[in-house]
Amino acid sequence: MTESALAERSEIGTARRWGMLGASTAAQAAAAVMTNGAVFLIPALHEQRGMSIAEAGVVTATPMIGVMLTLVAWGWFTDRRGERIALVAGLGLAAVAGLLAVLAEDGVLLAIALGLGGAAAASTNAASGRVVVGWFPPHRRGLAMGIRQMAQPMGVGIAAIAVPVVADGHGIRAALWVPTIACALATVVVALVVVDPPRTAPKEGTAPNPYRQDRYLARIHGVSVLLVVPQFVVWTFALVWLIQDRGWSPAAAGSLVAGTQVLAAFGRIAAGQLSDHVRSRMRPLRWVAIAAGLAMALLGLAAGLDLAVAVPLVVVATVITVADNGLAFTAVAERAGPFWSGRALGVQNTAQFLAAALVPPIGGLAIGSAGYAGTFALAALFPLLAVALVPVSDERPLE
């Protein structure tokens, strides 16, 4: 970053900088309510509108489909037009789509409206992260991004609490106001608080494509895809494992899983703070990959031997396997630069979403063949493969 850009960044006070972090986090949380909240409507769609569980599942999956189809496009838009307009436009359009969902009379129209809501809300994935990277100095960026990465579990938690309760008490249309209002409020907050970070035009007039310079970004994408596997194996199957194999009640298992998600959110902050302290994103990323492999292997062993320590180990594995998200996200944004990070983050998220979508069906087949213990142990191989792929030697010093 040039001296003029640094000077412009220093003119923004600490309170304003943290305010923009809060606004960016709120934007990402509102987007998570829009994209993840629909799944909590499945019981209501089945009972109140007569859909089968499969039909309701298809309808409520459309927001995530919308997200995957538009992540790179929103990244390109952010690169070209800036973070603030991308956030305001995306969240505003998501609120409009939410209103269309409220008014939808049948399942097809509801699915289309929800899909449009997810496609619009995808703007926050790259743009909110770029606000953090652009306004925070490197020695505070890991911590700040860790806080921003709490937005997804926060949004999912809000949706899990509000959407099914409102749907049960007041109907589906009332429940659809939850993501609609969340996105509308976030639009106003972003418009009032967020300012585009300073960017200086590249000397040649066109920013070079970072993917053509080296394989650093491609390797981070690969690492992130590999680390998604154990993360979603635990997220998807921990609840049913506790109920089926350990004999827990659904309420008790659900409470443990919910509490573990809170710990995992703080784990992202700790990983970001560690990366600031050691002035490296890749070394902590490698440590997380090693720890994730060991945790999953120990969980598989303990589950196979039916040891009591298997339950604490599933908590440990859940916390560790999500700690890499902020590190990789920050590293991608830093290396890609202000004119390419939107697209690079779009590629990063798209690859992760696609990998995550494959885990439940393939994991279910693995459990049918090898059981939960064998599946947990098999998942340990993916982070261990990721260890060798982490580009530690190619990392540049934090500026």
Side-chain angles (χ1 to χ4, degrees):
M1 183 173 290
T2 65
E3 292 183 4
S4 61
L6 287 169
E8 186 176 350
R9 188 169 68 184
S10 66
E11 291 176 1
I12 295 292
T14 300
R16 182 65 183 275
R17 187 178 294 118
W18 285 92
M20 286 193 282
L21 171 60
S24 299
T25 304
Q28 187 66 50
V33 176
M34 175 61 73
T35 57
N36 296 278
V39 298
F40 300 108
L41 286 172
I42 290 177
L45 289 170
H46 176 60
E47 296 172 6
Q48 298 178 24
R49 297 200 178 179
M51 294 185 186
S52 68
I53 297 298
E55 290 171 338
V58 171
V59 169
T60 57
T62 55
M64 296 304 296
I65 295 173
V67 171
M68 286 191 290
L69 292 176
T70 57
L71 279 168
V72 177
W74 275 116
W76 174 86
F77 183 84
T78 305
D79 288 336
R80 296 294 298 271
R81 300 300 300 274
E83 295 80 2
R84 184 173 180 272
I85 189 172
L87 288 171
V88 171
L91 289 167
L93 290 172
V96 172
L99 180 59
L100 293 176
V102 171
L103 300 175
E105 295 288 345
D106 59 47
V108 174
L109 293 177
L110 178 59
I112 293 172
L114 290 174
L116 292 174
S123 67
T124 63
N125 285 64
S128 65
R130 281 175 45 130
V131 171
V132 175
V133 172
W135 282 120
F136 278 81
H139 66 282
R140 288 287 182 268
R141 199 174 286 154
L143 171 63
M145 189 63 80
I147 294 173
R148 181 263 185 192
Q149 292 293 95
M150 290 182 67
Q152 184 179 16
M154 286 171 51
V156 174
I158 292 170
I161 293 170
V163 171
V165 172
V166 175
D168 182 59
H170 303 282
I172 293 170
R173 286 187 173 180
L176 288 168
W177 279 107
V178 174
T180 303
I181 293 173
C183 288
L185 291 175
T187 304
V188 175
V189 171
V190 168
L192 293 175
V193 177
V194 172
V195 177
D196 284 347
R199 295 196 295 173
T200 55
K203 295 179 180 179
E204 296 81 4
T206 302
N209 185 339
Y211 288 96
R212 295 178 179 175
Q213 295 178 331
D214 52 41
R215 298 179 61 194
Y216 183 85
L217 291 177
R219 291 178 66 176
I220 294 179
H221 297 332
V223 170
S224 296
V225 167
L226 289 169
L227 293 180
V228 157
V229 175
Q231 175 184 333
F232 273 80
V233 164
V234 176
W235 276 17
T236 304
F237 300 111
L239 181 72
V240 67
W241 169 70
L242 287 168
I243 295 171
Q244 291 186 348
D245 271 24
R246 308 297 297 187
W248 286 40
S249 69
S255 298
L256 178 67
V257 171
T260 302
Q261 291 298 314
V262 176
L263 292 176
F266 284 101
R268 293 181 176 186
I269 296 178
Q273 178 66 42
L274 176 63
S275 74
D276 288 340
H277 180 71
V278 302
R279 300 189 65 79
S280 169
R281 314 297 178 209
M282 292 299 98
R283 279 187 287 148
L285 184 60
R286 175 176 280 182
W287 299 336
V288 168
I290 294 171
L294 292 175
M296 293 302 297
L298 290 173
L299 173 59
L301 178 62
L305 297 176
D306 198 26
L307 301 178
V309 74
V311 174
L313 280 172
V314 82
V315 175
V316 172
T318 301
V319 173
I320 292 175
T321 55
V322 302
D324 66 286
N325 289 15
L327 298 172
F329 202 85
T330 308
V332 168
E334 289 176 331
R335 176 58 71 92
F339 294 93
W340 268 89
S341 58
R343 281 162 285 184
L345 292 173
V347 172
Q348 170 84 1
N349 285 142
T350 300
Q352 289 180 303
F353 273 117
L354 289 173
L358 294 174
V359 168
I362 295 176
L365 292 174
I367 289 171
S369 300
Y372 289 102
T375 301
F376 292 149
L378 181 64
L381 298 176
F382 291 86
L384 295 179
L385 289 173
V387 172
L389 197 58
V390 177
V392 175
S393 61
D394 295 330
E395 185 176 20
R396 298 169 184 169
L398 299 184
E399 298 177 357

